C-alpha cells in the first residue's frame, strides 16, 4: 500500500483568492500522479495526469506541478471562484492501482 | 449514456442484510475498479478487474465482500451480512488500459451511498 497524503484537509477562501494545496507520495517506483476534482453529488473528474519530474500542467485557472524526486505535487487555483468548491483528490499510480489521498476540501465563499 | 453508471444511488439497509451494488462501465473500457469512501476517510481501493485476468481482490476488507464482472462489462459488488462500518460511498471507475499505461485517467460513476442501520 502506498501512503499518499494531502494537505490541508480543508480550506476556506474568499472569491478571488488564489490558493494551493499539496499532495505527497512515495518517490520510489513512481509511475504517474493523477489529480481529480470531486464536486458534491457528482462523480470525480480527472484534472491532470503527470508523469515526468518537473511537469507543469495548466487548465484555465488551475495548474499543477510535479516533483518526483522528493515526492510531491502542488495544485494551484488562481482567482478562486465559488464553482471551484469541491474536494480535490490526488492519486499515485503504481502497478495498475491508484492510491488516493484523503483529499483537500475547498470552499470558496462569494 | 456514455459515462459510468452506478445503481442504486442510495441504499439504506438493516444490519445483517445482503446488498448488491451495480456498475456499468464505459463501453470498451477493459479496466474496472471499485473504491469506497467512508466518512472522513480517503478513497479506499477494494478490487480491480482487467480484461479476462484474475481480479486483484487485495483491497476487499473481509470475506463478506465479493465482486464479479460478467462478460468483461457490468460489475456487481456484493456485501453479505452488512455491518454498520460498511456504511460508505462505493465508487466504481473504468479506464481504457489499452496503450494508456499509467497515464489513462479513471472515469468514475456517481457512486452508491450505502447506509447500514
Amino acid at each position: 500500500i502506498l501512503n499518499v497524503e494531502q494537505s490541508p484537509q480543508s480550506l476556506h477562501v474568499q472569491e478571488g483568492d488564489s490558493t494551493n494545496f499539496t499532495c505527497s507520495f512515495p518517490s520510489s517506483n513512481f509511475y504517474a500522479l493523477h489529480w481529480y476534482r470531486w464536486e458534491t453529488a457528482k462523480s470525480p473528474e480527472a484534472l491532470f495526469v503527470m508523469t515526468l519530474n518537473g511537469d507543469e500542467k495548466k487548465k484555465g485557472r488551475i495548474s499543477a506541478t510535479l516533483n518526483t524526486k522528493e515526492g510531491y505535487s502542488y495544485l494551484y487555483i488562481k482567482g478562486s471562484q465559488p464553482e471551484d468548491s469541491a474536494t480535490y483528490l490526488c492519486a499515485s499510480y503504481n502497478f495498475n492501482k491508484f492510491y488516493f489521498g484523503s483529499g483537500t476540501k475547498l470552499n470558496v465563499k462569494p | 449514456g456514455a459515462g459510468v453508471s452506478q445503481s442504486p444511488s442510495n441504499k439504506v439497509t438493516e444490519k445483517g442484510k445482503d446488498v448488491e451494488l451495480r456498475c456499468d462501465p464505459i463501453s470498451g473500457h477493459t479496466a474496472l475498479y471499485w473504491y469506497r469512501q467512508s466518512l472522513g476517510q480517503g478513497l479506499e481501493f477494494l478490487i480491480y478487474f482487467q480484461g479476462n485476468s484474475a481480479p486483484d481482490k487485495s483491497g476487499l476488507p473481509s470475506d463478506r465482500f465479493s465482486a464479479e464482472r460478467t462478460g468483461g462489462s457490468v460489475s456487481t459488488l456484493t456485501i453479505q451480512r452488512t455491518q454498520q462500518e460498511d456504511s460508505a460511498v462505493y465508487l466504481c471507475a473504468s479506464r481504457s488500459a489499452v496503450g494508456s499505461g499509467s497515464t489513462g485517467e479513471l472515469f468514475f460513476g456517481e457512486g452508491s451511498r450505502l447506509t447500514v442501520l
Side-chain angles (χ1 to χ4, degrees):
Chain A
I1 296 179
L2 287 179
N3 190 27
V4 177
E5 296 184 350
Q6 291 187 247
S7 62
Q9 189 174 11
S10 65
L11 200 51
H12 298 262
V13 301
Q14 288 294 137
E15 181 176 356
D17 287 351
S18 293
T19 187
N20 66 85
F21 21 94
T22 306
C23 172
S24 301
F25 53 88
S27 55
S28 58
N29 297 315
F30 173 82
Y31 285 89
L33 195 284
H34 291 228
W35 280 100
Y36 291 84
R37 175 167 60 197
W38 192 2
E39 295 179 66
T40 303
K42 295 186 178 180
S43 52
E45 290 186 344
L47 283 173
F48 304 113
V49 179
M50 309 172 78
T51 57
L52 299 175
N53 185 45
D55 251 357
E56 289 189 29
K57 299 233 172 164
K58 188 175 181 181
K59 185 182 290 187
R61 293 177 293 97
I62 304 177
S63 60
T65 60
L66 179 68
N67 183 323
T68 61
K69 294 187 186 302
E70 296 180 38
Y72 64 84
S73 175
Y74 292 137
L75 190 80
Y76 299 91
I77 302 179
K78 184 177 179 182
S80 303
Q81 299 296 308
E83 58 263 31
D84 296 329
S85 297
T87 296
Y88 291 82
L89 298 166
C90 69
S92 181
Y93 176 85
N94 191 284
F95 293 114
N96 296 318
K97 290 184 200 172
F98 293 83
Y99 296 89
F100 283 87
S102 55
T104 293
K105 187 171 184 178
L106 176 66
N107 181 36
V108 182
K109 299 177 185 176
Chain B
V4 177
S5 178
Q6 289 188 246
S7 62
S9 54
N10 276 288
K11 176 72 177 179
V12 179
T13 191
E14 293 179 347
K15 177 181 171 181
K17 301 280 189 182
D18 298 351
V19 296
E20 282 190 355
L21 307 177
R22 176 189 166 104
C23 173
D24 201 340
I26 291 173
S27 177
H29 279 190
T30 56
L32 186 148
Y33 297 77
W34 282 98
Y35 285 86
R36 73 174 178 181
Q37 185 180 44
S38 304
L39 193 63
Q41 304 297 314
L43 287 183
E44 176 189 4
F45 167 77
L46 296 177
I47 188 169
Y48 159 65
F49 296 89
Q50 172 58 54
N52 295 321
S53 302
D56 180 341
K57 304 179 182 180
S58 59
L60 294 179
S62 78
D63 58 8
R64 296 186 295 105
F65 287 72
S66 63
E68 61 178 24
R69 188 179 185 190
T70 53
S73 180
V74 172
S75 176
T76 302
L77 178 70
T78 302
I79 310 172
Q80 295 179 308
R81 305 181 302 282
T82 52
Q83 304 294 309
Q84 287 184 333
E85 62 262 27
D86 300 334
S87 297
V89 175
Y90 289 80
L91 283 170
C92 173
S94 71
R95 172 175 186 255
S96 176
V98 176
S100 62
S102 60
T103 59
E105 64 192 71
L106 290 172
F107 291 83
F108 284 89
E110 293 187 356
S112 292
R113 180 177 294 278
L114 174 66
T115 303
V116 182
L117 301 177

